[in-house]
Tab-separated table of all heavy atoms in Angstrom:
chain	number	residue	atom	x	y	z
A	1	SER	N	-115.909	-59.359	6.179
A	1	SER	CA	-116.470	-58.190	6.872
A	1	SER	C	-117.331	-58.586	8.086
A	1	SER	O	-118.528	-58.382	8.114
A	1	SER	CB	-117.232	-57.272	5.908
A	1	SER	OG	-118.263	-57.965	5.225
A	2	SER	N	-116.649	-59.195	9.036
A	2	SER	CA	-117.148	-59.604	10.372
A	2	SER	C	-118.313	-60.605	10.369
A	2	SER	O	-119.035	-60.713	11.343
A	2	SER	CB	-117.486	-58.373	11.227
A	2	SER	OG	-118.671	-57.745	10.759
A	3	HIS	N	-118.516	-61.326	9.277
A	3	HIS	CA	-119.467	-62.445	9.327
A	3	HIS	C	-119.131	-63.474	8.244
A	3	HIS	O	-118.420	-63.179	7.292
A	3	HIS	CB	-120.922	-61.959	9.207
A	3	HIS	CG	-121.300	-61.489	7.837
A	3	HIS	ND1	-120.945	-60.264	7.347
A	3	HIS	CD2	-122.009	-62.112	6.845
A	3	HIS	CE1	-121.413	-60.127	6.113
A	3	HIS	NE2	-122.055	-61.239	5.783
A	4	TYR	N	-119.651	-64.682	8.440
A	4	TYR	CA	-119.413	-65.750	7.465
A	4	TYR	C	-120.368	-65.608	6.296
A	4	TYR	O	-121.540	-65.291	6.476
A	4	TYR	CB	-119.606	-67.134	8.121
A	4	TYR	CG	-118.429	-67.545	8.961
A	4	TYR	CD1	-118.441	-67.375	10.341
A	4	TYR	CD2	-117.301	-68.111	8.377
A	4	TYR	CE1	-117.356	-67.749	11.118
A	4	TYR	CE2	-116.206	-68.496	9.147
A	4	TYR	CZ	-116.238	-68.311	10.506
A	4	TYR	OH	-115.169	-68.686	11.274
A	5	ASP	N	-119.854	-65.837	5.095
A	5	ASP	CA	-120.705	-65.764	3.911
A	5	ASP	C	-120.184	-66.739	2.865
A	5	ASP	O	-119.028	-67.145	2.890
A	5	ASP	CB	-120.703	-64.334	3.349
A	5	ASP	CG	-121.953	-64.063	2.510
A	5	ASP	OD1	-122.823	-64.969	2.420
A	5	ASP	OD2	-122.049	-62.959	1.942
A	6	CYS	N	-121.066	-67.090	1.945
A	6	CYS	CA	-120.676	-67.964	0.843
A	6	CYS	C	-120.123	-67.083	-0.278
A	6	CYS	O	-120.837	-66.245	-0.820
A	6	CYS	CB	-121.872	-68.772	0.352
A	6	CYS	SG	-122.419	-69.986	1.569
A	7	VAL	N	-118.864	-67.292	-0.576
A	7	VAL	CA	-118.162	-66.459	-1.553
A	7	VAL	C	-117.806	-67.316	-2.762
A	7	VAL	O	-117.432	-68.479	-2.631
A	7	VAL	CB	-116.888	-65.852	-0.907
A	7	VAL	CG1	-116.107	-65.027	-1.905
A	7	VAL	CG2	-117.261	-65.014	0.305
A	8	ASP	N	-117.932	-66.717	-3.929
A	8	ASP	CA	-117.615	-67.418	-5.173
A	8	ASP	C	-116.180	-67.932	-5.153
A	8	ASP	O	-115.257	-67.231	-4.763
A	8	ASP	CB	-117.807	-66.454	-6.353
A	8	ASP	CG	-117.336	-67.065	-7.659
A	8	ASP	OD1	-117.825	-68.150	-8.008
A	8	ASP	OD2	-116.451	-66.458	-8.307
A	9	VAL	N	-115.996	-69.176	-5.589
A	9	VAL	CA	-114.663	-69.762	-5.726
A	9	VAL	C	-114.166	-69.388	-7.126
A	9	VAL	O	-114.863	-69.638	-8.120
A	9	VAL	CB	-114.714	-71.308	-5.581
A	9	VAL	CG1	-113.352	-71.919	-5.897
A	9	VAL	CG2	-115.183	-71.704	-4.193
A	10	ASN	N	-112.970	-68.779	-7.213
A	10	ASN	CA	-112.395	-68.457	-8.515
A	10	ASN	C	-111.596	-69.672	-8.994
A	10	ASN	O	-110.436	-69.860	-8.626
A	10	ASN	CB	-111.501	-67.216	-8.411
A	10	ASN	CG	-111.029	-66.736	-9.776
A	10	ASN	OD1	-110.960	-67.503	-10.733
A	10	ASN	ND2	-110.695	-65.459	-9.857
A	11	GLU	N	-112.293	-70.503	-9.766
A	11	GLU	CA	-111.679	-71.760	-10.225
A	11	GLU	C	-110.441	-71.510	-11.090
A	11	GLU	O	-109.545	-72.356	-11.175
A	11	GLU	CB	-112.692	-72.600	-11.025
A	11	GLU	CG	-113.847	-73.151	-10.229
A	11	GLU	CD	-115.005	-72.179	-10.040
A	11	GLU	OE1	-114.924	-71.012	-10.529
A	11	GLU	OE2	-115.990	-72.568	-9.392
A	12	CYS	N	-110.373	-70.336	-11.730
A	12	CYS	CA	-109.238	-70.001	-12.595
A	12	CYS	C	-107.980	-69.775	-11.756
A	12	CYS	O	-106.874	-70.152	-12.152
A	12	CYS	CB	-109.540	-68.764	-13.435
A	12	CYS	SG	-111.034	-68.972	-14.441
A	13	VAL	N	-108.155	-69.188	-10.567
A	13	VAL	CA	-107.020	-68.911	-9.670
A	13	VAL	C	-106.634	-70.178	-8.892
A	13	VAL	O	-105.460	-70.490	-8.734
A	13	VAL	CB	-107.362	-67.747	-8.709
A	13	VAL	CG1	-106.271	-67.553	-7.664
A	13	VAL	CG2	-107.580	-66.458	-9.503
A	14	THR	N	-107.642	-70.902	-8.407
A	14	THR	CA	-107.361	-72.104	-7.597
A	14	THR	C	-106.949	-73.291	-8.469
A	14	THR	O	-106.602	-74.341	-7.957
A	14	THR	CB	-108.595	-72.506	-6.759
A	14	THR	OG1	-109.690	-72.737	-7.654
A	14	THR	CG2	-108.961	-71.442	-5.744
A	15	ASN	N	-107.011	-73.113	-9.774
A	15	ASN	CA	-106.618	-74.140	-10.741
A	15	ASN	C	-107.481	-75.406	-10.624
A	15	ASN	O	-107.000	-76.510	-10.826
A	15	ASN	CB	-105.126	-74.479	-10.598
A	15	ASN	CG	-104.462	-74.584	-11.960
A	15	ASN	OD1	-105.067	-74.275	-12.996
A	15	ASN	ND2	-103.212	-75.016	-11.963
A	16	THR	N	-108.763	-75.203	-10.278
A	16	THR	CA	-109.678	-76.348	-10.178
A	16	THR	C	-110.570	-76.426	-11.411
A	16	THR	O	-111.555	-77.146	-11.419
A	16	THR	CB	-110.554	-76.246	-8.896
A	16	THR	OG1	-111.124	-74.948	-8.859
A	16	THR	CG2	-109.744	-76.479	-7.638
A	17	HIS	N	-110.202	-75.689	-12.454
A	17	HIS	CA	-110.981	-75.736	-13.698
A	17	HIS	C	-110.499	-76.910	-14.556
A	17	HIS	O	-109.461	-77.515	-14.269
A	17	HIS	CB	-110.829	-74.417	-14.470
A	17	HIS	CG	-109.414	-74.141	-14.879
A	17	HIS	ND1	-108.866	-74.690	-16.009
A	17	HIS	CD2	-108.443	-73.393	-14.288
A	17	HIS	CE1	-107.601	-74.292	-16.111
A	17	HIS	NE2	-107.322	-73.500	-15.076
A	18	ARG	N	-111.271	-77.221	-15.579
A	18	ARG	CA	-110.912	-78.325	-16.474
A	18	ARG	C	-110.733	-77.798	-17.907
A	18	ARG	O	-111.022	-78.487	-18.872
A	18	ARG	CB	-112.005	-79.412	-16.438
A	18	ARG	CG	-112.194	-80.036	-15.067
A	18	ARG	CD	-113.298	-81.071	-15.021
A	18	ARG	NE	-114.575	-80.631	-15.596
A	18	ARG	CZ	-115.450	-79.837	-14.991
A	18	ARG	NH1	-115.191	-79.383	-13.787
A	18	ARG	NH2	-116.574	-79.489	-15.584
A	19	CYS	N	-110.295	-76.551	-18.020
A	19	CYS	CA	-110.119	-75.956	-19.348
A	19	CYS	C	-108.940	-76.613	-20.073
A	19	CYS	O	-107.965	-77.037	-19.449
A	19	CYS	CB	-109.857	-74.448	-19.241
A	19	CYS	SG	-111.270	-73.538	-18.579
A	20	ASN	N	-109.036	-76.627	-21.387
A	20	ASN	CA	-107.991	-77.174	-22.229
A	20	ASN	C	-106.717	-76.330	-22.090
A	20	ASN	O	-106.782	-75.146	-21.750
A	20	ASN	CB	-108.473	-77.168	-23.691
A	20	ASN	CG	-107.540	-77.912	-24.615
A	20	ASN	OD1	-106.549	-77.345	-25.082
A	20	ASN	ND2	-107.864	-79.163	-24.887
A	21	LEU	N	-105.588	-76.948	-22.359
A	21	LEU	CA	-104.287	-76.287	-22.298
A	21	LEU	C	-104.246	-75.052	-23.215
A	21	LEU	O	-103.593	-74.061	-22.909
A	21	LEU	CB	-103.207	-77.307	-22.721
A	21	LEU	CG	-101.752	-76.937	-22.501
A	21	LEU	CD1	-101.455	-76.822	-20.996
A	21	LEU	CD2	-100.837	-77.980	-23.124
A	22	HIS	N	-105.014	-75.116	-24.317
A	22	HIS	CA	-105.049	-74.015	-25.295
A	22	HIS	C	-106.324	-73.177	-25.136
A	22	HIS	O	-106.871	-72.690	-26.109
A	22	HIS	CB	-104.949	-74.565	-26.730
A	22	HIS	CG	-103.727	-75.407	-26.933
A	22	HIS	ND1	-102.447	-74.889	-26.959
A	22	HIS	CD2	-103.585	-76.745	-27.106
A	22	HIS	CE1	-101.583	-75.866	-27.134
A	22	HIS	NE2	-102.250	-77.012	-27.228
A	23	ALA	N	-106.782	-73.074	-23.880
A	23	ALA	CA	-107.998	-72.286	-23.621
A	23	ALA	C	-107.757	-71.341	-22.465
A	23	ALA	O	-106.881	-71.557	-21.636
A	23	ALA	CB	-109.167	-73.208	-23.320
A	24	GLU	N	-108.557	-70.282	-22.421
A	24	GLU	CA	-108.513	-69.332	-21.314
A	24	GLU	C	-109.628	-69.673	-20.339
A	24	GLU	O	-110.725	-70.039	-20.751
A	24	GLU	CB	-108.780	-67.917	-21.843
A	24	GLU	CG	-107.571	-67.178	-22.357
A	24	GLU	CD	-107.973	-65.789	-22.846
A	24	GLU	OE1	-108.290	-64.943	-21.978
A	24	GLU	OE2	-108.003	-65.597	-24.068
A	25	CYS	N	-109.343	-69.544	-19.029
A	25	CYS	CA	-110.370	-69.767	-17.990
A	25	CYS	C	-110.990	-68.429	-17.649
A	25	CYS	O	-110.291	-67.442	-17.417
A	25	CYS	CB	-109.719	-70.397	-16.765
A	25	CYS	SG	-110.864	-70.590	-15.392
A	26	LEU	N	-112.334	-68.362	-17.640
A	26	LEU	CA	-113.055	-67.143	-17.272
A	26	LEU	C	-113.933	-67.457	-16.059
A	26	LEU	O	-114.806	-68.329	-16.135
A	26	LEU	CB	-113.942	-66.674	-18.434
A	26	LEU	CG	-113.219	-66.424	-19.770
A	26	LEU	CD1	-114.215	-66.368	-20.907
A	26	LEU	CD2	-112.430	-65.123	-19.699
A	27	ASN	N	-113.680	-66.784	-14.951
A	27	ASN	CA	-114.463	-67.043	-13.739
A	27	ASN	C	-115.872	-66.457	-13.871
A	27	ASN	O	-116.062	-65.387	-14.426
A	27	ASN	CB	-113.760	-66.431	-12.520
A	27	ASN	CG	-114.451	-66.830	-11.225
A	27	ASN	OD1	-114.717	-68.002	-10.993
A	27	ASN	ND2	-114.759	-65.849	-10.412
A	28	THR	N	-116.871	-67.201	-13.374
A	28	THR	CA	-118.257	-66.711	-13.325
A	28	THR	C	-118.766	-66.932	-11.911
A	28	THR	O	-118.133	-67.647	-11.127
A	28	THR	CB	-119.163	-67.475	-14.323
A	28	THR	OG1	-119.184	-68.847	-13.947
A	28	THR	CG2	-118.683	-67.333	-15.757
A	29	GLU	N	-119.906	-66.349	-11.577
A	29	GLU	CA	-120.492	-66.532	-10.240
A	29	GLU	C	-120.847	-68.011	-10.049
A	29	GLU	O	-121.697	-68.545	-10.758
A	29	GLU	CB	-121.752	-65.678	-10.071
A	29	GLU	CG	-121.511	-64.286	-9.520
A	29	GLU	CD	-120.980	-64.275	-8.089
A	29	GLU	OE1	-121.615	-64.882	-7.204
A	29	GLU	OE2	-119.915	-63.666	-7.858
A	30	GLY	N	-120.148	-68.656	-9.146
A	30	GLY	CA	-120.445	-70.053	-8.817
A	30	GLY	C	-119.878	-71.056	-9.792
A	30	GLY	O	-120.035	-72.251	-9.600
A	31	SER	N	-119.218	-70.582	-10.858
A	31	SER	CA	-118.691	-71.522	-11.839
A	31	SER	C	-117.549	-70.893	-12.630
A	31	SER	O	-116.884	-69.965	-12.150
A	31	SER	CB	-119.828	-71.977	-12.768
A	31	SER	OG	-119.387	-73.057	-13.575
A	32	PHE	N	-117.317	-71.372	-13.850
A	32	PHE	CA	-116.277	-70.841	-14.726
A	32	PHE	C	-116.622	-71.207	-16.170
A	32	PHE	O	-117.449	-72.083	-16.416
A	32	PHE	CB	-114.897	-71.413	-14.350
A	32	PHE	CG	-114.785	-72.899	-14.516
A	32	PHE	CD1	-114.257	-73.451	-15.681
A	32	PHE	CD2	-115.220	-73.761	-13.517
A	32	PHE	CE1	-114.166	-74.817	-15.844
A	32	PHE	CE2	-115.137	-75.140	-13.678
A	32	PHE	CZ	-114.611	-75.669	-14.841
A	33	LYS	N	-115.977	-70.522	-17.099
A	33	LYS	CA	-116.150	-70.835	-18.517
A	33	LYS	C	-114.771	-71.010	-19.134
A	33	LYS	O	-113.792	-70.442	-18.635
A	33	LYS	CB	-116.893	-69.709	-19.242
A	33	LYS	CG	-118.378	-69.676	-18.971
A	33	LYS	CD	-119.041	-68.539	-19.710
A	33	LYS	CE	-120.544	-68.532	-19.419
A	33	LYS	NZ	-121.157	-67.287	-19.858
A	34	CYS	N	-114.714	-71.761	-20.201
A	34	CYS	CA	-113.458	-71.957	-20.912
A	34	CYS	C	-113.640	-71.454	-22.346
A	34	CYS	O	-114.641	-71.780	-22.991
A	34	CYS	CB	-113.071	-73.429	-20.939
A	34	CYS	SG	-112.895	-74.139	-19.280
A	35	LYS	N	-112.666	-70.666	-22.817
A	35	LYS	CA	-112.742	-70.131	-24.183
A	35	LYS	C	-111.416	-70.427	-24.873
A	35	LYS	O	-110.341	-70.115	-24.341
A	35	LYS	CB	-112.994	-68.618	-24.119
A	35	LYS	CG	-113.261	-67.985	-25.463
A	35	LYS	CD	-113.455	-66.492	-25.312
A	35	LYS	CE	-113.566	-65.859	-26.701
A	35	LYS	NZ	-113.382	-64.418	-26.645
A	36	CYS	N	-111.514	-71.080	-26.036
A	36	CYS	CA	-110.298	-71.427	-26.764
A	36	CYS	C	-109.521	-70.161	-27.121
A	36	CYS	O	-110.108	-69.133	-27.477
A	36	CYS	CB	-110.621	-72.210	-28.039
A	36	CYS	SG	-111.272	-73.870	-27.666
A	37	LYS	N	-108.190	-70.236	-27.006
A	37	LYS	CA	-107.329	-69.090	-27.334
A	37	LYS	C	-107.366	-68.825	-28.837
A	37	LYS	O	-107.791	-69.679	-29.617
A	37	LYS	CB	-105.895	-69.391	-26.888
A	37	LYS	CG	-105.730	-69.400	-25.366
A	37	LYS	CD	-104.313	-69.767	-24.987
A	37	LYS	CE	-104.157	-69.797	-23.458
A	37	LYS	NZ	-102.876	-70.361	-23.046
A	38	GLN	N	-106.888	-67.640	-29.201
A	38	GLN	CA	-106.881	-67.245	-30.615
A	38	GLN	C	-106.092	-68.269	-31.445
A	38	GLN	O	-105.047	-68.738	-31.018
A	38	GLN	CB	-106.241	-65.851	-30.775
A	38	GLN	CG	-106.940	-65.028	-31.815
A	38	GLN	CD	-106.558	-63.541	-31.745
A	38	GLN	OE1	-105.945	-63.098	-30.781
A	38	GLN	NE2	-106.905	-62.797	-32.770
A	39	GLY	N	-106.669	-68.649	-32.569
A	39	GLY	CA	-106.018	-69.632	-33.430
A	39	GLY	C	-106.497	-71.047	-33.148
A	39	GLY	O	-106.120	-71.999	-33.834
A	40	TYR	N	-107.344	-71.192	-32.096
A	40	TYR	CA	-107.882	-72.513	-31.761
A	40	TYR	C	-109.401	-72.413	-31.761
A	40	TYR	O	-109.962	-71.350	-31.554
A	40	TYR	CB	-107.426	-72.953	-30.351
A	40	TYR	CG	-105.926	-73.272	-30.295
A	40	TYR	CD1	-105.002	-72.276	-30.025
A	40	TYR	CD2	-105.495	-74.574	-30.496
A	40	TYR	CE1	-103.650	-72.565	-29.952
A	40	TYR	CE2	-104.142	-74.868	-30.426
A	40	TYR	CZ	-103.220	-73.869	-30.156
A	40	TYR	OH	-101.891	-74.161	-30.085
A	41	GLN	N	-110.024	-73.546	-31.983
A	41	GLN	CA	-111.493	-73.546	-31.858
A	41	GLN	C	-111.947	-74.832	-31.169
A	41	GLN	O	-111.253	-75.831	-31.147
A	41	GLN	CB	-112.155	-73.384	-33.234
A	41	GLN	CG	-111.874	-74.514	-34.227
A	41	GLN	CD	-112.568	-74.256	-35.549
A	41	GLN	OE1	-112.738	-73.101	-35.974
A	41	GLN	NE2	-112.960	-75.312	-36.235
A	42	GLY	N	-113.143	-74.753	-30.573
A	42	GLY	CA	-113.704	-75.899	-29.829
A	42	GLY	C	-114.546	-75.409	-28.669
A	42	GLY	O	-114.928	-74.233	-28.601
A	43	THR	N	-114.824	-76.307	-27.738
A	43	THR	CA	-115.719	-76.006	-26.588
A	43	THR	C	-115.011	-75.233	-25.496
A	43	THR	O	-115.646	-74.665	-24.621
A	43	THR	CB	-116.266	-77.318	-25.988
A	43	THR	OG1	-115.135	-78.088	-25.503
A	43	THR	CG2	-117.080	-78.108	-26.959
A	44	GLY	N	-113.693	-75.281	-25.511
A	44	GLY	CA	-112.927	-74.697	-24.406
A	44	GLY	C	-112.365	-75.804	-23.533
A	44	GLY	O	-111.347	-75.655	-22.875
């Protein structure tokens, strides 16, 4: 919108997250979270 600004990077879309193959990536402001999919448990 006609000026430069710092915008959150969606690591889930850019595939720059480090989530496990059996985890879901959840974007957060300035970062991301990993949550194990149903039937799995762990840190993400």
Side-chain angles (χ1 to χ4, degrees):
S1 57
S2 73
H3 72 282
Y4 282 98
D5 203 3
C6 292
V7 178
D8 173 56
V9 173
N10 188 335
E11 293 84 359
C12 303
V13 173
T14 58
N15 224 7
T16 50
H17 62 83
R18 298 178 310 282
C19 295
N20 189 276
L21 191 65
H22 304 290
E24 274 180 71
C25 175
L26 303 163
N27 187 50
T28 62
E29 270 295 305
S31 190
F32 63 95
K33 284 180 180 167
C34 301
K35 187 182 174 196
C36 291
K37 290 177 181 170
Q38 218 166 348
Y40 290 88
Q41 63 180 32
T43 62

